[in-house]
Amino acid sequence: MCEFRFELCRNFFSELNFYISDLFCFFKSKTILFSTCALFAIFYCILFVNVVIQFLSDSTLNWGFCFTNKCLEVVDLNFKYMIYLTKEVTVFFALCLTAIGVRTGLHTYKLSLENSMMNNHNTNLKVFIDFCNVEVNKHELLEASKINYYNLYNKFYPFSREGRFNHFDILRRDIVRLNDGINESNLEFLGMEVNKSFKFKNHQSRVIRSVRDFGFSIEYHNRTDFYKIEIQIYKFINALILHFSVGVDCIQINNVKYG
């Protein structure tokens, strides 16, 4: 359970990091936007100052509002390149604003997606843990303190943090490996009358190693007690497979014949 509490704390700080990153991105984008606007504002001020200087230095130019063809011809003649430069800079300014907006939007979408995946991960993990607690209470020989719920959850949902909840290849592989050990013990037990080869101590060692991989911590016991604990663990895992692998061709743990 310590691992589970640690995982919850880690999830909390991960979510906190998402919010901080989102806030940082917001202020960073505002800073970039402000700097860009300030830069272009300075540029336009310099252009305006140059226009004023030219008006003051050229006696043929007079201040005033004028939209006649003659006035426009004078403006085009005296400020042709300045107008062209202003137009090009304005287009570039618009492109910069667009790029900043797109970048901010993509970053915000990425953070939102990551936050959504983390929320889904936390919700699914909580549902899984709640179901495990209910199932543990059904088996008197199982103790929640000796089950690493997060390790068990990772067997079912190894890519939960990435938002993928339909990948059961790892679970199938480990169930097959567990069944191989059960089949080996079954064969030894069924052949016991012929060659006396079944050694329960060796069987216990195989089972302890196999179930430890699923997050169960069990110790050596006498044959009767160990058999009961082993069977309850298998029933527990099978219940999880039936509940959380609905609609998926996921194998179950084989029946034991050495009890």
Side-chain angles (χ1 to χ4, degrees):
M1 294 302 292
C2 291
E3 291 85 355
F4 175 59
R5 287 193 291 268
F6 173 76
E7 177 62 20
L8 289 181
C9 291
R10 185 168 65 177
N11 291 341
F12 169 76
F13 285 111
S14 295
E15 289 190 24
L16 183 61
N17 180 60
F18 287 146
Y19 290 121
I20 293 176
S21 298
D22 196 8
L23 191 62
F24 175 76
C25 175
F26 173 75
F27 284 112
K28 185 178 180 180
S29 298
K30 288 193 66 176
T31 302
I32 295 175
L33 180 62
F34 176 79
S35 300
T36 304
C37 292
L39 182 63
F40 282 99
I42 293 172
F43 171 77
Y44 289 126
C45 287
I46 293 174
L47 285 180
F48 179 75
V49 171
N50 286 333
V51 170
V52 172
I53 292 175
Q54 188 163 350
F55 265 94
L56 294 177
S57 61
D58 192 341
S59 60
T60 62
L61 297 177
N62 296 315
W63 290 100
F65 292 99
C66 179
F67 296 100
T68 64
N69 287 334
K70 186 175 181 180
C71 290
L72 295 177
E73 289 176 358
V74 172
V75 170
D76 183 63
L77 178 63
N78 291 273
F79 303 100
K80 178 179 180 179
Y81 295 106
M82 191 173 295
I83 293 174
Y84 174 79
L85 178 61
T86 303
K87 183 181 69 173
E88 294 300 320
V89 170
T90 302
V91 172
F92 180 69
F93 177 49
L95 292 175
C96 289
L97 293 180
T98 303
I100 293 172
V102 170
R103 178 185 178 279
T104 303
L106 288 175
H107 190 76
T108 301
Y109 171 76
K110 180 181 177 182
L111 288 176
S112 176
L113 185 62
E114 291 176 347
N115 190 41
S116 177
M117 289 190 297
M118 181 58 65
N119 287 335
N120 291 338
H121 166 75
N122 290 336
T123 300
N124 199 59
L125 176 61
K126 185 179 185 305
V127 171
F128 186 88
I129 297 300
D130 290 342
F131 183 85
C132 287
N133 287 328
V134 172
E135 286 298 315
V136 165
N137 292 332
K138 295 179 181 179
H139 304 286
E140 58 181 8
L141 297 179
L142 298 185
E143 301 178 25
S145 60
K146 293 186 177 182
I147 304 175
N148 185 329
Y149 284 155
Y150 183 72
N151 191 36
L152 186 59
Y153 176 83
N154 199 46
K155 289 292 180 185
F156 283 80
Y157 304 107
F159 303 104
S160 176
R161 288 177 173 273
E162 301 173 11
R164 296 166 56 189
F165 300 96
N166 58 350
H167 186 93
F168 297 100
D169 291 345
I170 295 177
L171 178 63
R172 290 192 190 95
R173 181 202 65 192
D174 291 338
I175 293 296
V176 169
R177 187 181 301 166
L178 183 59
N179 282 336
D180 288 342
I182 294 174
N183 292 336
E184 183 179 350
S185 295
N186 283 340
L187 291 174
E188 289 181 1
F189 179 78
L190 294 175
M192 184 173 58
E193 297 299 328
V194 178
N195 53 27
K196 309 291 184 181
S197 63
F198 184 69
K199 296 181 180 180
F200 198 77
K201 204 73 171 180
N202 294 339
H203 165 73
Q204 285 193 71
S205 298
R206 282 197 298 268
V207 172
I208 289 174
R209 287 194 301 268
S210 298
V211 299
R212 185 186 297 125
D213 195 41
F214 283 85
F216 294 88
S217 177
I218 59 174
E219 302 172 351
Y220 289 93
H221 294 277
N222 62 70
R223 179 166 179 168
T224 301
D225 291 341
F226 189 87
Y227 173 77
K228 291 180 180 178
I229 295 173
E230 180 184 356
I231 294 302
Q232 289 190 9
I233 289 176
Y234 295 161
K235 288 182 177 179
F236 178 82
I237 295 176
N238 280 337
L240 292 177
I241 293 174
L242 287 173
H243 187 80
F244 290 99
S245 305
V246 177
V248 179
D249 182 22
C250 220
I251 61 176
Q252 291 226 315
I253 299 176
N254 292 342
N255 293 325
V256 301
K257 301 176 182 179
Y258 41 80

